Amino acid sequence: MRKLLNTIYITREDAYLSLDGENLVCRIENAERLRVPFDNIEAIVCFNYQGCSPALMGKCVQKLVPITFLTPSGRFLAKVSGETRGNVHLRVRQIDLFRERGIALAANTIVAKLANTVAVLKRSKHDMPDLRTDEAIHGAIRTLTSGIESVYAANGYEELLGIEGNCAKAYYSVFCKLLSSQQFSFQYRSKRPPLDPVNAVLSLLYTMYTNEFASALETVGLDSCIGYFHALRSGRCSLACDLVEEARCIVDRFVLSMFNLGMFEKRDFETQPTGAVLLAGDGLKKVISRWQEKKRTDFMHPYLRQKIPWGLLPYVQSNLLAKYVRGEIEEYPCFLNK
């Protein structure tokens, strides 16, 4: 099993990264603020604009340490990673299998996503007694359950997309009720740009988690750009987008917990003239530090039947998918958050 190392997050916009021997060095205003041995780095995520030195990028390519560049608000810009080191026959088999069984894989993914979404609602009902008799919550659960029952009767991708979209609309229509904090509200899911603090945190973590799945897929030799559900698009990691659907529930529960525990203040966010709401410096640091803590905690994987850190979930699911592509297991076991 892959060892869970450290992900370095650069949150200062004026930071610059460089290489000094076998160490990553972060400088702000020409003063050294951080020095980390390269052997202790799993990945680098930059929210800065000054970037990093060519020598550092070359070292990352050599060591297969991906560097992801995001805007300070969390929007994906670019990614630098090393050469793909996987069996070319595995990639050929990936393409052939996805063409042959893509709809079945997509149906399984949607069912897992909807089942995990139902689990989020039921968990919130358990934690918040006022929701136990809320008809809107019960209605959303019925819609999601009905969607699960309809998936395998769908004829093609368009119908699957329709079912998923209808269920997502029902889920986000009651998401505001899962927030116990009166300081922050949520009306609907807004992506580009996020229009409230809750959407700002959701969008950031969805982006970060998708990048983690993309790195995991490259690690096991699969092409993260060739998916079975999301449309192929130049520059998009479609397969990572597919797999992260099963795990969105983890982000949702994490975001709800942070808001409901009162971890945010209004000063952690800033509103742009366009109406976009972005995480400010302290708010961004809160999200990243708590997310890293979450990744270090253990849970019981439903398929492996053993405890692993949450941070290894993308690698475990990617490895299971690779085993399915190679024909070592009969079905790819989607992640179900039980």
Side-chain angles (χ1 to χ4, degrees):
M1 184 172 290
R2 188 181 178 91
K3 182 180 178 182
L4 183 63
L5 300 175
N6 295 320
T7 299
I8 304 298
Y9 293 92
I10 305 300
T11 60
R12 287 283 297 265
E13 297 180 32
D14 54 348
Y16 181 77
L17 301 182
S18 61
L19 181 69
D20 184 11
E22 294 295 319
N23 300 290
L24 176 147
V25 177
C26 176
R27 288 185 172 85
I28 299 176
E29 297 179 350
N30 294 322
E32 183 176 316
R33 299 295 182 88
L34 177 70
R35 177 179 289 265
V36 182
F38 229 87
D39 288 340
N40 295 337
I41 300 175
E42 170 79 18
I44 303 170
V45 180
C46 297
F47 294 86
N48 60 332
Y49 283 129
Q50 294 196 20
C52 59
S53 69
L56 176 62
M57 287 191 284
K59 188 71 170 181
C60 289
V61 168
Q62 177 188 350
K63 293 285 189 177
L64 298 181
V65 173
I67 310 177
T68 303
F69 294 96
L70 308 174
T71 67
S73 64
R75 183 172 60 84
F76 177 81
L77 290 175
K79 180 179 179 181
V80 177
S81 58
E83 63 176 307
T84 299
R85 297 181 181 177
N87 188 334
V88 66
H89 299 291
L90 177 64
R91 290 173 179 258
V92 172
R93 175 61 179 160
Q94 174 186 348
I95 295 171
D96 291 342
L97 187 67
F98 288 178
R99 285 174 176 169
E100 177 186 348
R101 305 182 188 176
I103 292 180
L105 283 166
N108 288 342
T109 292
I110 293 175
V111 167
K113 175 184 179 179
L114 298 184
N116 290 335
T117 303
V118 170
V120 171
L121 295 178
K122 290 184 175 180
R123 174 65 183 272
S124 295
K125 281 177 55 182
H126 178 271
D127 295 342
M128 304 167 68
D130 292 345
L131 297 182
R132 296 172 188 173
T133 57
D134 191 292
E135 182 54 35
I137 296 291
H138 287 286
I141 292 176
R142 287 194 297 269
T143 299
L144 292 165
T145 303
S146 175
I148 292 172
E149 296 170 352
S150 303
V151 164
Y152 292 114
N155 295 313
Y157 288 106
E158 290 188 4
E159 195 168 340
L160 287 175
L161 283 169
I163 294 171
E164 183 192 29
N166 184 52
C167 290
K169 182 178 180 181
Y171 172 58
Y172 285 118
S173 71
V174 298
F175 198 80
C176 58
K177 294 178 178 289
L178 311 184
L179 294 163
S180 60
S181 173
Q182 300 298 317
Q183 190 175 11
F184 300 98
S185 61
F186 177 95
Q187 294 184 343
Y188 56 91
R189 178 76 179 110
S190 55
K191 303 176 184 179
R192 301 179 185 88
L195 299 177
D196 59 62
V198 179
N199 273 298
V201 182
L202 285 172
S203 292
L204 171 65
L205 287 173
Y206 286 156
T207 298
M208 290 171 54
Y209 213 22
T210 302
N211 290 330
E212 290 179 25
F213 271 92
S215 298
L217 287 164
E218 293 290 342
T219 299
V220 301
L222 293 174
D223 192 328
S224 63
C225 293
I226 301 175
Y228 52 80
F229 184 40
H230 285 79
L232 302 183
R233 183 185 303 165
S234 179
R236 181 168 77 174
C237 297
S238 296
L239 185 54
C241 294
D242 292 341
L243 292 191
V244 82
E245 294 293 342
E246 307 165 13
R248 284 181 182 269
C249 60
I250 301 167
V251 171
D252 294 349
R253 281 296 311 167
F254 176 81
V255 172
L256 288 170
S257 295
M258 287 199 72
F259 278 98
N260 289 343
L261 291 174
M263 295 183 180
F264 290 113
E265 301 176 28
K266 289 191 175 181
R267 64 183 180 183
D268 292 328
F269 303 90
E270 58 182 28
T271 303
Q272 301 292 306
T274 60
V277 177
L278 310 179
L279 277 157
D282 288 341
L284 183 60
K285 292 177 182 177
K286 287 179 184 179
V287 173
I288 289 173
S289 62
R290 295 289 182 177
W291 182 243
Q292 286 297 89
E293 291 176 8
K294 169 71 174 178
K295 287 165 61 178
R296 295 188 184 100
T297 59
D298 292 340
F299 77 103
M300 181 66 71
H301 192 279
Y303 181 79
L304 299 181
R305 300 293 182 184
Q306 66 183 76
K307 287 187 176 182
I308 65 169
W310 279 110
L312 285 183
L313 180 62
Y315 296 96
V316 169
Q317 293 305 123
S318 297
N319 194 28
L320 289 171
L321 181 60
K323 287 180 178 293
Y324 171 64
V325 173
R326 289 193 295 264
E328 297 175 12
I329 54 178
E330 293 184 1
E331 294 288 342
Y332 163 65
C334 296
F335 172 70
L336 291 173
N337 191 23
K338 298 181 179 180

